[in-house]
Amino acid sequence: MSSKARWYTGLVATAVGLAAITGCVSNSKNEGKDAAPTNTGTAKPSSASPNVTDSNLNPSGFPIVNNKINVKMVGLQGAGNPPLDQMPVYKEYEKMTNIHIDWTSIPSENAAEKKSLIFASNNLPDAFTAGLNDQEVMANGSNGTLIPLEGLIDKYAPNLKKLFEAHPEYRKQLVTPEGHIYALPHINEFSSAETVLMWINQTWLDKLHLQVPQNKDELYKVLKAFKEGDPNGNGKPDEIPFSFTKDDLNLFIANVFGLLNYKNIVVGDDGKIIPTAMDPRYKEALQYLNKLHAEKLLDPEMFSLTSEQQNAKGANEQLGAYFHWSIITAGAKLENQYVAFAPMEYNGKRATYLNSPLGRGQFAITKAAKSPEALIRWADYFFSPEGTKMAEYGPKGTGYVDNADGTWEQAPIPQGMTSVQFRLSMTPSAGGSMPYYYSSSLLDATKLGDYDKKVLSSATKHNMPYAKMAFPNTYMTEDEQKKVASIQTDIANYVTQMEVKFIMGDTSFDQWDKFMDTLKKMQIDEIVNVYQKVYDRYQSQ
């Protein structure tokens, strides 16, 4: 999620989620060997690997080692997950691999503190599946605690090697400024997981003889009609033409004005970075929002609105348009009234946010590992289709089932459990941390219900043609991180305060130059310089 955040995660969290992400993992050694990808390289023991020899490590297939080995791993245990040593996915995988894991489960609520203590100790595990953040990867890679993985990937990880060859952008997002890969990701190409949709009430449009708006002027006319035309038919002026929360403000600006704001900087078409406030679209967007607010076309509670409050308004037939990963805001009773619509056209272009499908820091090997070759093979399987299915829902037969038509889906859910609870009980990819590659081709084989098909097709049709990342998903050096951290929080807080004041009319736009002067005094140019350096370095890889 880095991630990844995401529609998929949000949908699971509301228990509306997909009934699929599963596939082919065999329980028998022979079947496992046939199913696993073949590595044409020859396995060589590590000089620091007394547990791994040419005769013990298999270069491909299962088991990974002929004679069982024990390794220590630290993993993230999400809310609702059992301890990792009780996870069916890992119990089954031990049978397949001949690798026994001595797990240290870290609860997600105090993970940062726990990881810090482990890194500082003299008792390192062999590997982490604990959702390492960028700072943890950079610091512990630079000091030698985490070992570089690119050589191991080249020799012992055929799935990752193939993935990087097909998608070099994924590899770029994992390489640190030092030129190394210290941690493996999870990758989710589920297209609707990467974009937030705009939904509009088609029933209201039909009643008022209106079309789905295509630009900001048409959007204004539609919202005005929603406010004045009593489209919910209750005789009360209680319609909320456009409802969104303060967290959706950047989404609105992106979808209506094509401006992809990233931490108060913007990447121009020429690759030059400027403060967002210096882009003419930003001021125009706030002026537009000020007009909508003044004419009561926006949710009056937008700067304090919770998702629960918004859902209640949706169920009360008050919402004309809103943002969400899914249709859930409207409620099950009214969801069929809403359709997704594309970002507005602005100066001939449309744009919306695309988050990277890649979440870093899901698997790393430490200098204490005695069997790094076996460990990289252990992780690499989860980047195959069969391994991803297993990672997402648990072992074949108990976590997921294959269908005769070539699709696959979650196995029958035990009585008394929800789909989400069942998945949480089977695998740490739900709630915790785990490497995997959920590809678009894997999605094609997923059996989806009507609801999920509507959301997925809506995202594919309306958002994906215009979605792009606001800024590359890449590492900063420690010095860059420190410089940004020392300035960015104060700037972000100030910008947020001023956005509210401009939109609500508490501050006149005559004060705009003063706003920008203050940003300069707060050293926003330093932020721009850092991000320009990071961006240029990423582009040169």
PDB file of all heavy atoms in Angstrom, residues 198 200 212-220 242 252-258 288 341-352 462-463 466:
ATOM      1  N   MET A 198     -13.799  10.057  -8.890  1.00  0.00           N
ATOM      2  CA  MET A 198     -14.878  11.002  -8.641  1.00  0.00           C
ATOM      3  C   MET A 198     -16.186  10.311  -9.034  1.00  0.00           C
ATOM      4  O   MET A 198     -16.292   9.738 -10.117  1.00  0.00           O
ATOM      5  CB  MET A 198     -14.709  12.276  -9.483  1.00  0.00           C
ATOM      6  CG  MET A 198     -13.586  13.166  -9.049  1.00  0.00           C
ATOM      7  SD  MET A 198     -13.704  14.849  -9.772  1.00  0.00           S
ATOM      8  CE  MET A 198     -13.503  14.505 -11.515  1.00  0.00           C
ATOM      9  N   ILE A 200     -20.489  10.719  -9.327  1.00  0.00           N
ATOM     10  CA  ILE A 200     -21.545  11.717  -9.452  1.00  0.00           C
ATOM     11  C   ILE A 200     -22.891  11.011  -9.549  1.00  0.00           C
ATOM     12  O   ILE A 200     -22.989   9.890 -10.076  1.00  0.00           O
ATOM     13  CB  ILE A 200     -21.310  12.634 -10.674  1.00  0.00           C
ATOM     14  CG1 ILE A 200     -22.208  13.872 -10.608  1.00  0.00           C
ATOM     15  CG2 ILE A 200     -21.486  11.873 -11.992  1.00  0.00           C
ATOM     16  CD1 ILE A 200     -21.765  14.989 -11.554  1.00  0.00           C
ATOM     17  N   VAL A 212     -22.830  14.603 -17.696  1.00  0.00           N
ATOM     18  CA  VAL A 212     -21.647  14.553 -16.849  1.00  0.00           C
ATOM     19  C   VAL A 212     -20.707  15.687 -17.257  1.00  0.00           C
ATOM     20  O   VAL A 212     -20.388  15.839 -18.432  1.00  0.00           O
ATOM     21  CB  VAL A 212     -20.925  13.194 -16.985  1.00  0.00           C
ATOM     22  CG1 VAL A 212     -19.599  13.217 -16.240  1.00  0.00           C
ATOM     23  CG2 VAL A 212     -21.807  12.062 -16.468  1.00  0.00           C
ATOM     24  N   PRO A 213     -20.265  16.505 -16.320  1.00  0.00           N
ATOM     25  CA  PRO A 213     -19.418  17.669 -16.671  1.00  0.00           C
ATOM     26  C   PRO A 213     -18.050  17.248 -17.195  1.00  0.00           C
ATOM     27  O   PRO A 213     -17.487  16.231 -16.771  1.00  0.00           O
ATOM     28  CB  PRO A 213     -19.302  18.424 -15.352  1.00  0.00           C
ATOM     29  CG  PRO A 213     -19.530  17.387 -14.292  1.00  0.00           C
ATOM     30  CD  PRO A 213     -20.523  16.433 -14.867  1.00  0.00           C
ATOM     31  N   GLN A 214     -17.514  18.068 -18.103  1.00  0.00           N
ATOM     32  CA  GLN A 214     -16.228  17.779 -18.732  1.00  0.00           C
ATOM     33  C   GLN A 214     -15.152  18.809 -18.409  1.00  0.00           C
ATOM     34  O   GLN A 214     -13.989  18.597 -18.731  1.00  0.00           O
ATOM     35  CB  GLN A 214     -16.407  17.697 -20.253  1.00  0.00           C
ATOM     36  CG  GLN A 214     -17.362  16.620 -20.711  1.00  0.00           C
ATOM     37  CD  GLN A 214     -16.903  15.221 -20.336  1.00  0.00           C
ATOM     38  OE1 GLN A 214     -15.719  14.897 -20.464  1.00  0.00           O
ATOM     39  NE2 GLN A 214     -17.824  14.391 -19.871  1.00  0.00           N
ATOM     40  N   ASN A 215     -15.537  19.932 -17.821  1.00  0.00           N
ATOM     41  CA  ASN A 215     -14.560  20.960 -17.449  1.00  0.00           C
ATOM     42  C   ASN A 215     -15.091  21.737 -16.248  1.00  0.00           C
ATOM     43  O   ASN A 215     -16.229  21.509 -15.799  1.00  0.00           O
ATOM     44  CB  ASN A 215     -14.249  21.886 -18.625  1.00  0.00           C
ATOM     45  CG  ASN A 215     -15.495  22.535 -19.202  1.00  0.00           C
ATOM     46  OD1 ASN A 215     -16.269  23.166 -18.481  1.00  0.00           O
ATOM     47  ND2 ASN A 215     -15.711  22.384 -20.513  1.00  0.00           N
ATOM     48  N   LYS A 216     -14.290  22.637 -15.738  1.00  0.00           N
ATOM     49  CA  LYS A 216     -14.656  23.337 -14.503  1.00  0.00           C
ATOM     50  C   LYS A 216     -15.913  24.195 -14.668  1.00  0.00           C
ATOM     51  O   LYS A 216     -16.698  24.334 -13.722  1.00  0.00           O
ATOM     52  CB  LYS A 216     -13.495  24.199 -14.016  1.00  0.00           C
ATOM     53  CG  LYS A 216     -13.052  25.305 -14.946  1.00  0.00           C
ATOM     54  CD  LYS A 216     -11.867  26.058 -14.381  1.00  0.00           C
ATOM     55  CE  LYS A 216     -11.376  27.156 -15.313  1.00  0.00           C
ATOM     56  NZ  LYS A 216     -12.371  28.224 -15.512  1.00  0.00           N
ATOM     57  N   ASP A 217     -16.138  24.764 -15.860  1.00  0.00           N
ATOM     58  CA  ASP A 217     -17.327  25.584 -16.069  1.00  0.00           C
ATOM     59  C   ASP A 217     -18.589  24.718 -16.074  1.00  0.00           C
ATOM     60  O   ASP A 217     -19.611  25.097 -15.479  1.00  0.00           O
ATOM     61  CB  ASP A 217     -17.209  26.359 -17.381  1.00  0.00           C
ATOM     62  CG  ASP A 217     -16.074  27.370 -17.346  1.00  0.00           C
ATOM     63  OD1 ASP A 217     -15.802  27.919 -16.260  1.00  0.00           O
ATOM     64  OD2 ASP A 217     -15.447  27.604 -18.400  1.00  0.00           O
ATOM     65  N   GLU A 218     -18.516  23.570 -16.735  1.00  0.00           N
ATOM     66  CA  GLU A 218     -19.650  22.652 -16.732  1.00  0.00           C
ATOM     67  C   GLU A 218     -19.884  22.090 -15.333  1.00  0.00           C
ATOM     68  O   GLU A 218     -21.042  21.894 -14.914  1.00  0.00           O
ATOM     69  CB  GLU A 218     -19.424  21.519 -17.730  1.00  0.00           C
ATOM     70  CG  GLU A 218     -19.433  21.974 -19.184  1.00  0.00           C
ATOM     71  CD  GLU A 218     -19.227  20.823 -20.151  1.00  0.00           C
ATOM     72  OE1 GLU A 218     -19.261  19.649 -19.700  1.00  0.00           O
ATOM     73  OE2 GLU A 218     -19.027  21.078 -21.358  1.00  0.00           O
ATOM     74  N   LEU A 219     -18.803  21.844 -14.612  1.00  0.00           N
ATOM     75  CA  LEU A 219     -18.949  21.341 -13.246  1.00  0.00           C
ATOM     76  C   LEU A 219     -19.686  22.367 -12.388  1.00  0.00           C
ATOM     77  O   LEU A 219     -20.582  22.006 -11.605  1.00  0.00           O
ATOM     78  CB  LEU A 219     -17.573  21.045 -12.646  1.00  0.00           C
ATOM     79  CG  LEU A 219     -17.565  20.569 -11.183  1.00  0.00           C
ATOM     80  CD1 LEU A 219     -18.322  19.246 -11.035  1.00  0.00           C
ATOM     81  CD2 LEU A 219     -16.131  20.433 -10.665  1.00  0.00           C
ATOM     82  N   TYR A 220     -19.338  23.631 -12.517  1.00  0.00           N
ATOM     83  CA  TYR A 220     -20.013  24.682 -11.760  1.00  0.00           C
ATOM     84  C   TYR A 220     -21.512  24.696 -12.059  1.00  0.00           C
ATOM     85  O   TYR A 220     -22.343  24.775 -11.137  1.00  0.00           O
ATOM     86  CB  TYR A 220     -19.395  26.043 -12.075  1.00  0.00           C
ATOM     87  CG  TYR A 220     -20.182  27.210 -11.514  1.00  0.00           C
ATOM     88  CD1 TYR A 220     -20.127  27.517 -10.163  1.00  0.00           C
ATOM     89  CD2 TYR A 220     -20.998  27.974 -12.341  1.00  0.00           C
ATOM     90  CE1 TYR A 220     -20.855  28.579  -9.641  1.00  0.00           C
ATOM     91  CE2 TYR A 220     -21.731  29.037 -11.829  1.00  0.00           C
ATOM     92  CZ  TYR A 220     -21.661  29.334 -10.477  1.00  0.00           C
ATOM     93  OH  TYR A 220     -22.402  30.377  -9.962  1.00  0.00           O
ATOM     94  N   PHE A 242     -21.185  18.982  -3.877  1.00  0.00           N
ATOM     95  CA  PHE A 242     -19.908  18.260  -3.913  1.00  0.00           C
ATOM     96  C   PHE A 242     -19.388  18.149  -2.493  1.00  0.00           C
ATOM     97  O   PHE A 242     -19.177  19.148  -1.812  1.00  0.00           O
ATOM     98  CB  PHE A 242     -18.882  19.003  -4.770  1.00  0.00           C
ATOM     99  CG  PHE A 242     -17.853  18.099  -5.421  1.00  0.00           C
ATOM    100  CD1 PHE A 242     -17.561  18.209  -6.773  1.00  0.00           C
ATOM    101  CD2 PHE A 242     -17.173  17.137  -4.692  1.00  0.00           C
ATOM    102  CE1 PHE A 242     -16.626  17.385  -7.387  1.00  0.00           C
ATOM    103  CE2 PHE A 242     -16.240  16.297  -5.289  1.00  0.00           C
ATOM    104  CZ  PHE A 242     -15.962  16.432  -6.642  1.00  0.00           C
ATOM    105  N   PHE A 252      -9.147  17.263  -5.574  1.00  0.00           N
ATOM    106  CA  PHE A 252     -10.027  18.179  -6.299  1.00  0.00           C
ATOM    107  C   PHE A 252      -9.214  19.059  -7.246  1.00  0.00           C
ATOM    108  O   PHE A 252      -9.544  19.215  -8.426  1.00  0.00           O
ATOM    109  CB  PHE A 252     -10.819  19.049  -5.322  1.00  0.00           C
ATOM    110  CG  PHE A 252     -11.852  19.915  -5.985  1.00  0.00           C
ATOM    111  CD1 PHE A 252     -13.168  19.496  -6.095  1.00  0.00           C
ATOM    112  CD2 PHE A 252     -11.508  21.156  -6.520  1.00  0.00           C
ATOM    113  CE1 PHE A 252     -14.122  20.287  -6.725  1.00  0.00           C
ATOM    114  CE2 PHE A 252     -12.456  21.963  -7.142  1.00  0.00           C
ATOM    115  CZ  PHE A 252     -13.764  21.522  -7.247  1.00  0.00           C
ATOM    116  N   ILE A 253      -8.129  19.624  -6.734  1.00  0.00           N
ATOM    117  CA  ILE A 253      -7.305  20.511  -7.552  1.00  0.00           C
ATOM    118  C   ILE A 253      -6.697  19.752  -8.733  1.00  0.00           C
ATOM    119  O   ILE A 253      -6.610  20.269  -9.849  1.00  0.00           O
ATOM    120  CB  ILE A 253      -6.210  21.165  -6.684  1.00  0.00           C
ATOM    121  CG1 ILE A 253      -6.860  22.085  -5.646  1.00  0.00           C
ATOM    122  CG2 ILE A 253      -5.218  21.941  -7.540  1.00  0.00           C
ATOM    123  CD1 ILE A 253      -5.878  22.654  -4.626  1.00  0.00           C
ATOM    124  N   ALA A 254      -6.288  18.514  -8.496  1.00  0.00           N
ATOM    125  CA  ALA A 254      -5.720  17.709  -9.579  1.00  0.00           C
ATOM    126  C   ALA A 254      -6.770  17.361 -10.623  1.00  0.00           C
ATOM    127  O   ALA A 254      -6.538  17.494 -11.834  1.00  0.00           O
ATOM    128  CB  ALA A 254      -5.109  16.434  -9.011  1.00  0.00           C
ATOM    129  N   ASN A 255      -7.942  16.903 -10.174  1.00  0.00           N
ATOM    130  CA  ASN A 255      -8.968  16.422 -11.093  1.00  0.00           C
ATOM    131  C   ASN A 255      -9.663  17.538 -11.858  1.00  0.00           C
ATOM    132  O   ASN A 255     -10.213  17.295 -12.928  1.00  0.00           O
ATOM    133  CB  ASN A 255     -10.006  15.581 -10.338  1.00  0.00           C
ATOM    134  CG  ASN A 255      -9.548  14.167 -10.099  1.00  0.00           C
ATOM    135  OD1 ASN A 255      -9.901  13.254 -10.835  1.00  0.00           O
ATOM    136  ND2 ASN A 255      -8.737  13.968  -9.075  1.00  0.00           N
ATOM    137  N   VAL A 256      -9.671  18.742 -11.323  1.00  0.00           N
ATOM    138  CA  VAL A 256     -10.363  19.856 -11.981  1.00  0.00           C
ATOM    139  C   VAL A 256      -9.390  20.784 -12.701  1.00  0.00           C
ATOM    140  O   VAL A 256      -9.715  21.329 -13.758  1.00  0.00           O
ATOM    141  CB  VAL A 256     -11.214  20.640 -10.968  1.00  0.00           C
ATOM    142  CG1 VAL A 256     -11.950  21.791 -11.646  1.00  0.00           C
ATOM    143  CG2 VAL A 256     -12.231  19.707 -10.292  1.00  0.00           C
ATOM    144  N   PHE A 257      -8.171  20.938 -12.165  1.00  0.00           N
ATOM    145  CA  PHE A 257      -7.206  21.866 -12.753  1.00  0.00           C
ATOM    146  C   PHE A 257      -5.937  21.183 -13.271  1.00  0.00           C
ATOM    147  O   PHE A 257      -5.034  21.864 -13.761  1.00  0.00           O
ATOM    148  CB  PHE A 257      -6.844  22.951 -11.737  1.00  0.00           C
ATOM    149  CG  PHE A 257      -7.970  23.911 -11.469  1.00  0.00           C
ATOM    150  CD1 PHE A 257      -8.944  23.610 -10.525  1.00  0.00           C
ATOM    151  CD2 PHE A 257      -8.084  25.095 -12.178  1.00  0.00           C
ATOM    152  CE1 PHE A 257      -9.996  24.480 -10.280  1.00  0.00           C
ATOM    153  CE2 PHE A 257      -9.140  25.973 -11.942  1.00  0.00           C
ATOM    154  CZ  PHE A 257     -10.104  25.661 -11.006  1.00  0.00           C
ATOM    155  N   GLY A 258      -5.873  19.868 -13.148  1.00  0.00           N
ATOM    156  CA  GLY A 258      -4.722  19.149 -13.684  1.00  0.00           C
ATOM    157  C   GLY A 258      -3.420  19.407 -12.971  1.00  0.00           C
ATOM    158  O   GLY A 258      -2.339  19.171 -13.524  1.00  0.00           O
ATOM    159  N   TYR A 288     -11.493  29.368  -7.395  1.00  0.00           N
ATOM    160  CA  TYR A 288     -12.667  28.596  -7.827  1.00  0.00           C
ATOM    161  C   TYR A 288     -13.357  27.960  -6.621  1.00  0.00           C
ATOM    162  O   TYR A 288     -14.587  28.019  -6.477  1.00  0.00           O
ATOM    163  CB  TYR A 288     -12.201  27.526  -8.816  1.00  0.00           C
ATOM    164  CG  TYR A 288     -13.287  26.655  -9.415  1.00  0.00           C
ATOM    165  CD1 TYR A 288     -14.055  27.080 -10.490  1.00  0.00           C
ATOM    166  CD2 TYR A 288     -13.513  25.366  -8.918  1.00  0.00           C
ATOM    167  CE1 TYR A 288     -15.017  26.255 -11.064  1.00  0.00           C
ATOM    168  CE2 TYR A 288     -14.474  24.539  -9.472  1.00  0.00           C
ATOM    169  CZ  TYR A 288     -15.220  24.987 -10.546  1.00  0.00           C
ATOM    170  OH  TYR A 288     -16.176  24.168 -11.105  1.00  0.00           O
ATOM    171  N   PHE A 341     -16.734   9.512 -13.016  1.00  0.00           N
ATOM    172  CA  PHE A 341     -16.492  10.374 -14.162  1.00  0.00           C
ATOM    173  C   PHE A 341     -15.037  10.819 -14.193  1.00  0.00           C
ATOM    174  O   PHE A 341     -14.338  10.817 -13.175  1.00  0.00           O
ATOM    175  CB  PHE A 341     -17.460  11.558 -14.213  1.00  0.00           C
ATOM    176  CG  PHE A 341     -17.399  12.548 -13.079  1.00  0.00           C
ATOM    177  CD1 PHE A 341     -17.055  13.876 -13.326  1.00  0.00           C
ATOM    178  CD2 PHE A 341     -17.727  12.192 -11.781  1.00  0.00           C
ATOM    179  CE1 PHE A 341     -17.042  14.809 -12.298  1.00  0.00           C
ATOM    180  CE2 PHE A 341     -17.715  13.113 -10.750  1.00  0.00           C
ATOM    181  CZ  PHE A 341     -17.366  14.441 -11.014  1.00  0.00           C
ATOM    182  N   ALA A 342     -14.591  11.160 -15.402  1.00  0.00           N
ATOM    183  CA  ALA A 342     -13.176  11.414 -15.642  1.00  0.00           C
ATOM    184  C   ALA A 342     -12.743  12.768 -15.082  1.00  0.00           C
ATOM    185  O   ALA A 342     -13.564  13.655 -14.850  1.00  0.00           O
ATOM    186  CB  ALA A 342     -12.891  11.360 -17.136  1.00  0.00           C
ATOM    187  N   PRO A 343     -11.436  12.948 -14.870  1.00  0.00           N
ATOM    188  CA  PRO A 343     -10.926  14.262 -14.504  1.00  0.00           C
ATOM    189  C   PRO A 343     -11.350  15.313 -15.530  1.00  0.00           C
ATOM    190  O   PRO A 343     -11.541  15.011 -16.709  1.00  0.00           O
ATOM    191  CB  PRO A 343      -9.402  14.076 -14.524  1.00  0.00           C
ATOM    192  CG  PRO A 343      -9.205  12.608 -14.325  1.00  0.00           C
ATOM    193  CD  PRO A 343     -10.367  11.945 -14.975  1.00  0.00           C
ATOM    194  N   MET A 344     -11.504  16.537 -15.049  1.00  0.00           N
ATOM    195  CA  MET A 344     -11.927  17.619 -15.921  1.00  0.00           C
ATOM    196  C   MET A 344     -10.828  17.980 -16.930  1.00  0.00           C
ATOM    197  O   MET A 344      -9.637  17.846 -16.645  1.00  0.00           O
ATOM    198  CB  MET A 344     -12.244  18.877 -15.109  1.00  0.00           C
ATOM    199  CG  MET A 344     -13.285  18.705 -14.007  1.00  0.00           C
ATOM    200  SD  MET A 344     -14.983  18.516 -14.596  1.00  0.00           S
ATOM    201  CE  MET A 344     -15.100  16.704 -14.657  1.00  0.00           C
ATOM    202  N   GLU A 345     -11.250  18.436 -18.085  1.00  0.00           N
ATOM    203  CA  GLU A 345     -10.291  18.932 -19.070  1.00  0.00           C
ATOM    204  C   GLU A 345      -9.910  20.362 -18.727  1.00  0.00           C
ATOM    205  O   GLU A 345     -10.764  21.216 -18.490  1.00  0.00           O
ATOM    206  CB  GLU A 345     -10.910  18.886 -20.463  1.00  0.00           C
ATOM    207  CG  GLU A 345      -9.953  19.307 -21.564  1.00  0.00           C
ATOM    208  CD  GLU A 345     -10.576  19.203 -22.940  1.00  0.00           C
ATOM    209  OE1 GLU A 345     -10.881  18.067 -23.359  1.00  0.00           O
ATOM    210  OE2 GLU A 345     -10.770  20.261 -23.567  1.00  0.00           O
ATOM    211  N   TYR A 346      -8.611  20.622 -18.677  1.00  0.00           N
ATOM    212  CA  TYR A 346      -8.107  21.967 -18.378  1.00  0.00           C
ATOM    213  C   TYR A 346      -6.993  22.267 -19.378  1.00  0.00           C
ATOM    214  O   TYR A 346      -5.976  21.565 -19.419  1.00  0.00           O
ATOM    215  CB  TYR A 346      -7.576  22.035 -16.945  1.00  0.00           C
ATOM    216  CG  TYR A 346      -7.100  23.419 -16.546  1.00  0.00           C
ATOM    217  CD1 TYR A 346      -7.981  24.327 -15.969  1.00  0.00           C
ATOM    218  CD2 TYR A 346      -5.779  23.808 -16.755  1.00  0.00           C
ATOM    219  CE1 TYR A 346      -7.557  25.594 -15.601  1.00  0.00           C
ATOM    220  CE2 TYR A 346      -5.345  25.076 -16.392  1.00  0.00           C
ATOM    221  CZ  TYR A 346      -6.241  25.972 -15.824  1.00  0.00           C
ATOM    222  OH  TYR A 346      -5.818  27.232 -15.456  1.00  0.00           O
ATOM    223  N   ASN A 347      -7.206  23.285 -20.201  1.00  0.00           N
ATOM    224  CA  ASN A 347      -6.243  23.637 -21.252  1.00  0.00           C
ATOM    225  C   ASN A 347      -5.883  22.427 -22.119  1.00  0.00           C
ATOM    226  O   ASN A 347      -4.716  22.200 -22.464  1.00  0.00           O
ATOM    227  CB  ASN A 347      -4.972  24.244 -20.649  1.00  0.00           C
ATOM    228  CG  ASN A 347      -5.207  25.642 -20.105  1.00  0.00           C
ATOM    229  OD1 ASN A 347      -6.221  26.288 -20.408  1.00  0.00           O
ATOM    230  ND2 ASN A 347      -4.285  26.129 -19.294  1.00  0.00           N
ATOM    231  N   GLY A 348      -6.910  21.639 -22.432  1.00  0.00           N
ATOM    232  CA  GLY A 348      -6.722  20.515 -23.335  1.00  0.00           C
ATOM    233  C   GLY A 348      -6.147  19.260 -22.706  1.00  0.00           C
ATOM    234  O   GLY A 348      -5.902  18.271 -23.409  1.00  0.00           O
ATOM    235  N   LYS A 349      -5.932  19.261 -21.374  1.00  0.00           N
ATOM    236  CA  LYS A 349      -5.353  18.095 -20.714  1.00  0.00           C
ATOM    237  C   LYS A 349      -6.212  17.680 -19.521  1.00  0.00           C
ATOM    238  O   LYS A 349      -6.991  18.466 -18.984  1.00  0.00           O
ATOM    239  CB  LYS A 349      -3.935  18.400 -20.228  1.00  0.00           C
ATOM    240  CG  LYS A 349      -2.940  18.703 -21.350  1.00  0.00           C
ATOM    241  CD  LYS A 349      -1.556  18.970 -20.773  1.00  0.00           C
ATOM    242  CE  LYS A 349      -0.548  19.272 -21.865  1.00  0.00           C
ATOM    243  NZ  LYS A 349       0.804  19.545 -21.313  1.00  0.00           N
ATOM    244  N   ARG A 350      -6.062  16.423 -19.139  1.00  0.00           N
ATOM    245  CA  ARG A 350      -6.706  15.900 -17.933  1.00  0.00           C
ATOM    246  C   ARG A 350      -5.640  15.198 -17.099  1.00  0.00           C
ATOM    247  O   ARG A 350      -4.698  14.616 -17.642  1.00  0.00           O
ATOM    248  CB  ARG A 350      -7.819  14.896 -18.279  1.00  0.00           C
ATOM    249  CG  ARG A 350      -8.941  15.464 -19.157  1.00  0.00           C
ATOM    250  CD  ARG A 350      -9.922  14.356 -19.531  1.00  0.00           C
ATOM    251  NE  ARG A 350     -10.861  14.769 -20.580  1.00  0.00           N
ATOM    252  CZ  ARG A 350     -12.103  15.167 -20.376  1.00  0.00           C
ATOM    253  NH1 ARG A 350     -12.572  15.196 -19.135  1.00  0.00           N
ATOM    254  NH2 ARG A 350     -12.874  15.511 -21.379  1.00  0.00           N
ATOM    255  N   ALA A 351      -5.803  15.225 -15.784  1.00  0.00           N
ATOM    256  CA  ALA A 351      -4.806  14.584 -14.926  1.00  0.00           C
ATOM    257  C   ALA A 351      -5.422  14.170 -13.601  1.00  0.00           C
ATOM    258  O   ALA A 351      -6.356  14.810 -13.104  1.00  0.00           O
ATOM    259  CB  ALA A 351      -3.626  15.518 -14.669  1.00  0.00           C
ATOM    260  N   THR A 352      -4.890  13.090 -13.053  1.00  0.00           N
ATOM    261  CA  THR A 352      -5.226  12.685 -11.696  1.00  0.00           C
ATOM    262  C   THR A 352      -4.036  11.927 -11.134  1.00  0.00           C
ATOM    263  O   THR A 352      -3.104  11.559 -11.866  1.00  0.00           O
ATOM    264  CB  THR A 352      -6.494  11.833 -11.639  1.00  0.00           C
ATOM    265  OG1 THR A 352      -6.901  11.697 -10.270  1.00  0.00           O
ATOM    266  CG2 THR A 352      -6.281  10.447 -12.227  1.00  0.00           C
ATOM    267  N   HIS A 462     -12.015   5.620 -16.623  1.00  0.00           N
ATOM    268  CA  HIS A 462     -12.070   7.055 -16.367  1.00  0.00           C
ATOM    269  C   HIS A 462     -10.777   7.646 -15.820  1.00  0.00           C
ATOM    270  O   HIS A 462     -10.465   8.810 -16.100  1.00  0.00           O
ATOM    271  CB  HIS A 462     -13.209   7.370 -15.401  1.00  0.00           C
ATOM    272  CG  HIS A 462     -14.566   7.044 -15.936  1.00  0.00           C
ATOM    273  ND1 HIS A 462     -15.116   7.714 -17.002  1.00  0.00           N
ATOM    274  CD2 HIS A 462     -15.481   6.107 -15.562  1.00  0.00           C
ATOM    275  CE1 HIS A 462     -16.323   7.214 -17.275  1.00  0.00           C
ATOM    276  NE2 HIS A 462     -16.556   6.246 -16.411  1.00  0.00           N
ATOM    277  N   ASN A 463     -10.046   6.897 -15.018  1.00  0.00           N
ATOM    278  CA  ASN A 463      -8.876   7.476 -14.374  1.00  0.00           C
ATOM    279  C   ASN A 463      -7.547   7.088 -15.014  1.00  0.00           C
ATOM    280  O   ASN A 463      -6.670   7.930 -15.214  1.00  0.00           O
ATOM    281  CB  ASN A 463      -8.840   7.088 -12.890  1.00  0.00           C
ATOM    282  CG  ASN A 463      -9.579   8.076 -12.016  1.00  0.00           C
ATOM    283  OD1 ASN A 463     -10.250   8.976 -12.516  1.00  0.00           O
ATOM    284  ND2 ASN A 463      -9.472   7.911 -10.714  1.00  0.00           N
ATOM    285  N   TYR A 466      -5.409   8.975 -17.603  1.00  0.00           N
ATOM    286  CA  TYR A 466      -4.917  10.311 -17.251  1.00  0.00           C
ATOM    287  C   TYR A 466      -4.077  10.311 -15.978  1.00  0.00           C
ATOM    288  O   TYR A 466      -3.612  11.373 -15.550  1.00  0.00           O
ATOM    289  CB  TYR A 466      -6.099  11.266 -17.068  1.00  0.00           C
ATOM    290  CG  TYR A 466      -7.124  11.160 -18.164  1.00  0.00           C
ATOM    291  CD1 TYR A 466      -8.388  10.607 -17.922  1.00  0.00           C
ATOM    292  CD2 TYR A 466      -6.825  11.574 -19.455  1.00  0.00           C
ATOM    293  CE1 TYR A 466      -9.323  10.495 -18.944  1.00  0.00           C
ATOM    294  CE2 TYR A 466      -7.758  11.455 -20.485  1.00  0.00           C
ATOM    295  CZ  TYR A 466      -9.006  10.915 -20.210  1.00  0.00           C
ATOM    296  OH  TYR A 466      -9.922  10.792 -21.231  1.00  0.00           O
TER     297      TYR A 466
END
